[in-house]
């Protein structure tokens, strides 16, 4: 169980995320106030409960920080848990699987090991992370991402099929430089 502590004041030179859509919408810039992380009392999510509105994106968006770090949900689908998966008992085995991609366009290696990924559905219900004994689904990233390189973490969360219209993935770089962001949208069935 990972629990976050509330953050203090952010440095003024902190990279600010902007959005680049994968569709035909123009690029928009988001201003980013200091986030306020609320410790998660449940074991369902390791990411902060609240993400400021300016840092909330759609599932089709790509969040790009000023320093060149890029985060997106590269793909997401609803599926059924396998017999070896744990965590989807409350949803009768109904899960969503997301591929979270981080591209490092900065000049420095990026330690992705501390990145936290969580999910919510409906009106903010925490989604339980899926523990996969086959290791196809991960709980996050491992290692360092070199400059001009990328990494993908494929994670699963227990989400009932009845709630696929609004699923939010929260990606918290969990560092002193980048703020938490979220991606919300409808998830299609496989």
């Amino acid at each position: 169980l990972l629990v976050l502590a509330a953050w203090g004041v952010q440095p003024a030179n902190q990279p600010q995320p902007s959005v680049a859509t994968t569709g035909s919408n123009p690029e928009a810039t988001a201003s980013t106030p200091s986030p306020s992380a609320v410790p998660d009392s449940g074991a369902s999510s390791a990411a902060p409960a609240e993400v400021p509105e300016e840092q909330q994106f759609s599932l089709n968006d790509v969040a790009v920080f000023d320093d060149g770090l890029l985060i997106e949900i590269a793909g997401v689908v609803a599926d059924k848990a396998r017999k070896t998966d744990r965590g989807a008992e409350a949803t009768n085995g109904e899960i969503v699987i997301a591929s979270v991609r981080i591209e490092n366009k900065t000049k420095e290696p990026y330690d992705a090991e501390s990145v936290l990924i969580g999910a919510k559905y409906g009106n903010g219900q925490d989604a339980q992370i899926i523990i996969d004994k086959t290791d196809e689904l991960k709980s996050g990233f491992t290692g360092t991402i070199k400059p001009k390189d990328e990494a993908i973490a494929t994670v699963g969360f227990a989400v009932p099929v009845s709630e696929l219209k609004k699923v939010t993935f929260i990606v918290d770089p969990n560092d002193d430089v980048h703020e938490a962001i979220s991606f919300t949208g409808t998830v299609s069935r496989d």
Side-chain angles (χ1 to χ4, degrees):
L1 174 67
L2 296 173
V3 179
L4 294 177
W7 290 332
V9 177
Q10 298 280 333
N13 63 351
Q14 175 163 2
Q16 305 295 307
S18 63
V19 62
T21 59
T22 55
S24 61
N25 294 343
E27 188 170 306
T29 301
S31 62
T32 55
S34 296
S36 97
V38 178
D40 186 356
S41 59
S44 60
S45 172
E50 295 293 325
V51 174
E53 188 173 334
E54 297 82 8
Q55 291 158 223
Q56 296 174 11
F57 304 104
S58 78
L59 286 177
N60 296 326
D61 291 336
V62 176
V64 180
F65 288 88
D66 289 343
D67 66 349
L69 192 71
L70 180 146
I71 301 175
E72 72 173 326
I73 304 300
V76 62
V77 67
D79 204 352
K80 282 296 256 181
R82 294 191 223 163
K83 293 184 187 289
T84 57
D85 295 344
R86 297 292 171 253
E89 294 79 14
T91 60
N92 294 318
E94 296 169 347
I95 65 173
V96 295
I97 299 171
S99 295
V100 180
R101 184 175 82 93
I102 297 179
E103 186 175 348
N104 184 4
K105 292 185 175 184
T106 72
K107 296 181 189 309
E108 300 293 325
Y110 180 72
D111 181 10
E113 192 122 2
S114 63
V115 173
L116 301 175
I117 303 168
K120 295 180 179 288
Y121 59 87
N123 291 322
Q125 178 70 35
D126 286 335
Q128 175 74 38
I129 195 163
I130 302 302
I131 306 301
D132 173 20
K133 296 192 180 207
T134 67
D135 249 3
E136 285 183 37
L137 299 177
K138 308 289 182 190
S139 61
F141 292 90
T142 56
T144 300
I145 305 171
K146 295 176 185 174
K148 299 181 183 174
D149 204 356
E150 67 178 49
I152 295 176
T154 302
V155 293
F157 293 95
V159 176
V161 169
S162 61
E163 298 288 348
L164 294 178
K165 287 183 181 169
K166 185 178 180 189
V167 179
T168 300
F169 298 95
I170 303 147
V171 182
D172 183 354
N174 197 27
D175 59 25
D176 294 332
V177 181
H178 306 94
E179 297 188 28
I181 55 177
S182 67
F183 300 90
T184 302
T186 300
V187 176
S188 302
R189 292 188 202 193
D190 191 16

